[in-house]
Amino acid sequence: MGKIAKTNAMRLLDKAGVSYEAIPYAYDENDLAATHVAEELGEDIRLVFKTLVLRGERTGLFVCVVPGDAEVDLKKAAAAAGDKKADLIHMKELLPTTGYIRGGCSPIGMKKALPTFFHTSACDYPEIYVSAGVRGLQLKIEPQTLIDFVGAATADLIKQ
């Protein structure tokens, strides 16, 4: 495998002196699910976090980073963001809003810094995976370091 091209997320982490490991994987255009990513990485799905962008009724855009096999609870997510209601943004809004495409959305380095919430389980592990900002590349990183770096909070965000 050749040299991995640096993504914006990786450059930001490098600049801040944050350590991470870039892990390439084979992705499938027809299966961008986190479960597929976890299988490709040979990792537990609970360690592979997906980045979702939501819009609160009053508070506007915010980000939830949840385990790959979990479904975000819109009520809990809205509450974390200080709102009553929230919905996932439409797919066509993802790239113009974040600078990222589906299957390659990273909580690091979005076009505009958005309030970000990690599911509390992220801190249960020594390292987690998040997208490096492109399909086919994950970042393995210490969760609290990442949470601090993006200025995120933790909250219970998933359906039980």
Side-chain angles (χ1 to χ4, degrees):
M1 187 124 206
K3 189 174 179 316
I4 296 168
K6 291 264 185 212
T7 64
N8 189 40
M10 293 159 71
R11 283 190 285 276
L12 290 167
L13 291 171
D14 289 346
K15 191 175 168 192
V18 173
S19 75
Y20 64 91
E21 192 181 339
I23 315 275
Y25 67 94
Y27 71 92
D28 176 351
E29 213 54 62
N30 300 311
D31 185 4
L32 297 171
T35 45
H36 177 75
V37 176
E39 285 165 19
E40 287 296 322
L41 295 171
E43 282 290 353
D44 184 326
I45 184 64
R46 293 172 302 183
L47 300 179
V48 179
F49 280 68
K50 57 188 175 186
T51 304
L52 306 170
V53 182
L54 295 88
R55 179 176 284 112
E57 193 174 51
R58 290 173 296 123
T59 54
L61 295 169
F62 65 99
V63 176
C64 288
V65 186
V66 299
D69 62 344
E71 194 179 336
V72 71
D73 183 312
L74 295 173
K75 269 200 173 9
K76 288 179 182 177
D83 215 325
K84 281 188 172 61
K85 273 182 72 179
D87 277 302
L88 289 164
I89 65 169
H90 290 285
M91 202 60 65
K92 65 181 188 299
E93 295 178 81
L94 191 62
L95 182 61
T97 302
T98 65
Y100 293 125
I101 58 171
R102 179 171 172 255
C105 190
S106 178
I108 307 158
M110 290 189 181
K111 274 186 176 176
K112 191 174 151 225
L114 298 173
T116 302
F117 304 92
F118 279 73
H119 184 257
T120 50
S121 68
C123 298
D124 295 347
Y125 308 102
E127 294 173 314
I128 61 168
Y129 293 85
V130 294
S131 175
V134 293
R135 292 174 182 166
L137 193 60
Q138 290 279 306
L139 298 177
K140 186 178 182 180
I141 190 165
E142 195 277 316
Q144 194 59 56
T145 301
L146 175 58
I147 289 165
D148 293 345
F149 179 74
V150 297
T154 57
D156 177 11
L157 301 167
I158 62 174
K159 291 184 179 177
Q160 296 308 335

